[in-house]
Amino acid sequence: MMINKPLVLTYLYLLIYIVLSSGVILYNKWVLSPKYFNFPFPITLTMIHMGFSGAVAFFLVRVLKVVSPVKMTLEIYSTCVIPISAFFASSLWFGNTAYLHISVAFIQMLKALMPVATFLMAVICGTDKLRCDVFLNMLLVSVGVVISSYGEIHFNVIGTVYQVTGIFAEALRLVLTQVLLQKKGLTLNPITSLYYIAPCSFVFLFVPWYFLEKPQMEISQIQFNFWIFFSNALCALALNFSIFLVIGRTGAVTIRVAGVLKDWILIALSTVIFPESTITGLNIIGYAIALCGVVMYNYLKVKDVRAAQLSSESLPERIVKDWKLEKKSSDIFVPDSSNDNIRGSGGGNGQASDLNVDAATPLLPSARLSHIGRSQLTTHTA
């Protein structure tokens, strides 16, 4: 029996992504939680990740010269990189702070609001139009999240506000990424995106750190274990590159399914690793309702992308592509046709949302910027 090596490799990359994504979130929770490693300084942890990422990117770009830096002008830096970095830093700050107040399982349930936030930001920024079918899906997601929140035993207002604020900051960053960078025709790969954005995010995080966490760190006894923080930052960096590999080999449908599967695995694992995070029946019902909305939303967006692709192709090209799609029913990456397939929905938030990348991930997911500027098709995600 012949083994389909590309298919095996694709599933291997998906497995690596799911393991790393879940691992980074659980690791961050363990480090920050007062009940475990007891390092309750989320801004400091995020700054460590940003510093590490920026240093690795600098080494790869300037020393090893693995990739060349893009032509970055002061105007592009001030109008694109700085605002994107500001919202990126904010989403990480708020998202990681939520771990101090609410459980990993409940955080994952709240993250079902990501498509709602992105759609609203896209409509406000003018990159998407208000559609009845999408609006009804968003309403279904919101109702599901409200039910799930009502069923949360350890509901905490502060933690919920932090997480939801982080989600909206991330949504705005995704929309700004598409609006600003695509407008400039700028394309950043995973390494160059870290090279420019990680240091800038570090600077933005320094301000709240100086006023909020530095005074506390001076009076409290901190256990600083180098290997814990180094391995944590390394896992986050590996996750960043795994996202890039997954997007390079799979289609939109596969990515979205992997994202949903990862969320369920994470919710189940978190209850085992952190016994204090109890899941109720109402939690599950609410989250299931929200997921139904997300799945319907994803279906609409994938359909929109495919319709846009078909309308822009000539008949011979369409026949060839249909043949390829039939032959590659496993949804494996087709180099000449996949860039737009990978995108999600009307906000131009790019592929990152397809992966449902977590705000807790302290790196700029490569997908969010790697294909910007390659296509004028503006679609969006979950």
Side-chain angles (χ1 to χ4, degrees), residues 92-131:
L92 296 178
W93 169 19
F94 295 134
N96 280 341
T97 304
Y99 287 112
L100 296 175
H101 305 281
I102 52 181
S103 68
V104 171
F106 186 48
I107 284 173
Q108 291 308 117
M109 292 176 191
L110 287 174
K111 281 178 182 175
L113 285 172
M114 190 66 205
V116 178
T118 307
F119 178 67
L120 290 175
M121 291 298 107
V123 170
I124 291 169
C125 293
T127 60
D128 201 356
K129 292 177 181 178
L130 195 59
R131 288 169 44 185

Side-chain angles (χ1 to χ4, degrees), residues 28-341:
N28 284 353
K29 171 69 175 178
W30 182 82
V31 169
L32 292 168
S33 178
K35 292 183 180 180
Y36 297 95
F37 187 71
N38 192 23
F39 187 80
F41 303 106
I43 304 174
T44 308
L45 182 66
T46 309
M47 286 177 71
I48 290 170
H49 293 145
M50 290 293 100
F52 181 76
S53 305
V56 170
F58 180 86
F59 184 74
L60 292 173
V61 173
R62 293 295 180 186
V63 180
L64 296 182
K65 300 188 186 300
V66 174
V67 293
S68 301
V70 299
K71 292 180 181 178
M72 183 65 67
T73 63
L74 183 61
E75 188 224 350
I76 292 175
Y77 195 86
S78 59
T79 59
C80 296
V81 175
I82 289 178
I84 287 169
S85 299
F87 283 107
F88 182 55
S90 300
S91 71
L92 296 178
W93 169 19
F94 295 134
N96 280 341
T97 304
Y99 287 112
L100 296 175
H101 305 281
I102 52 181
S103 68
V104 171
F106 186 48
I107 284 173
Q108 291 308 117
M109 292 176 191
L110 287 174
K111 281 178 182 175
L113 285 172
M114 190 66 205
V116 178
T118 307
F119 178 67
L120 290 175
M121 291 298 107
V123 170
I124 291 169
C125 293
T127 60
D128 201 356
K129 292 177 181 178
L130 195 59
R131 288 169 44 185
C132 185
D133 54 352
V134 176
F135 178 76
L136 288 174
N137 282 341
M138 298 302 95
L139 198 61
L140 186 63
V141 172
S142 302
V143 168
V145 171
V146 168
I147 293 172
S148 184
S149 302
Y150 185 76
E152 177 64 16
I153 290 177
H154 306 292
F155 183 81
N156 182 288
V157 175
I158 296 172
T160 304
V161 169
Y162 266 120
Q163 183 58 44
V164 173
T165 306
I167 287 169
F168 275 88
E170 174 68 357
L172 189 53
R173 185 196 71 79
L174 288 168
V175 175
L176 279 179
T177 296
Q178 193 264 333
V179 171
L180 297 177
L181 289 185
Q182 186 167 325
K183 191 177 177 182
K184 303 288 182 183
L186 192 64
T187 303
L188 298 178
N189 62 39
I191 299 172
T192 52
S193 65
L194 287 175
Y195 177 74
Y196 291 110
I197 290 177
C200 193
S201 296
F202 182 93
V203 173
F204 274 109
L205 289 165
F206 181 82
V207 178
W209 173 82
Y210 187 82
F211 291 104
L212 297 176
E213 291 191 0
K214 183 176 178 288
Q216 294 180 43
M217 294 176 78
E218 288 173 347
I219 60 171
S220 61
Q221 293 181 340
I222 305 165
Q223 49 171 335
F224 191 91
N225 186 314
F226 171 80
W227 293 109
I228 291 289
F229 291 103
F230 175 73
S231 60
N232 184 262
L234 196 62
C235 286
L237 187 67
L239 171 60
N240 185 64
F241 289 109
S242 78
I243 291 166
F244 180 70
L245 289 173
V246 167
I247 281 174
R249 294 197 66 89
T250 63
V253 177
T254 306
I255 288 172
R256 291 168 192 272
V257 171
V260 172
L261 179 63
K262 185 261 304 179
D263 287 341
W264 281 108
I265 290 171
L266 196 48
I267 288 170
L269 271 178
S270 67
T271 57
V272 175
I273 298 171
F274 306 110
E276 69 276 8
S277 56
T278 311
I279 295 179
T280 65
L282 210 52
N283 276 147
I284 298 297
I285 292 168
Y287 187 54
I289 291 170
L291 274 186
C292 286
V294 171
V295 169
M296 288 163 64
Y297 170 78
N298 287 343
Y299 171 75
L300 282 174
K301 292 306 157 188
V302 171
K303 198 167 83 168
D304 287 348
V305 172
R306 286 177 176 168
Q309 285 179 316
L310 289 172
S311 64
S312 64
E313 293 169 4
S314 65
L315 186 60
E317 287 174 330
R318 199 177 305 175
I319 292 169
V320 170
K321 188 168 290 185
D322 285 344
W323 177 79
K324 282 184 178 179
L325 286 172
E326 286 175 16
K327 189 175 178 183
K328 296 181 177 285
S329 58
S330 58
D331 201 19
I332 293 176
F333 174 71
V334 181
D336 62 344
S337 65
S338 67
N339 278 351
D340 297 327
N341 262 343

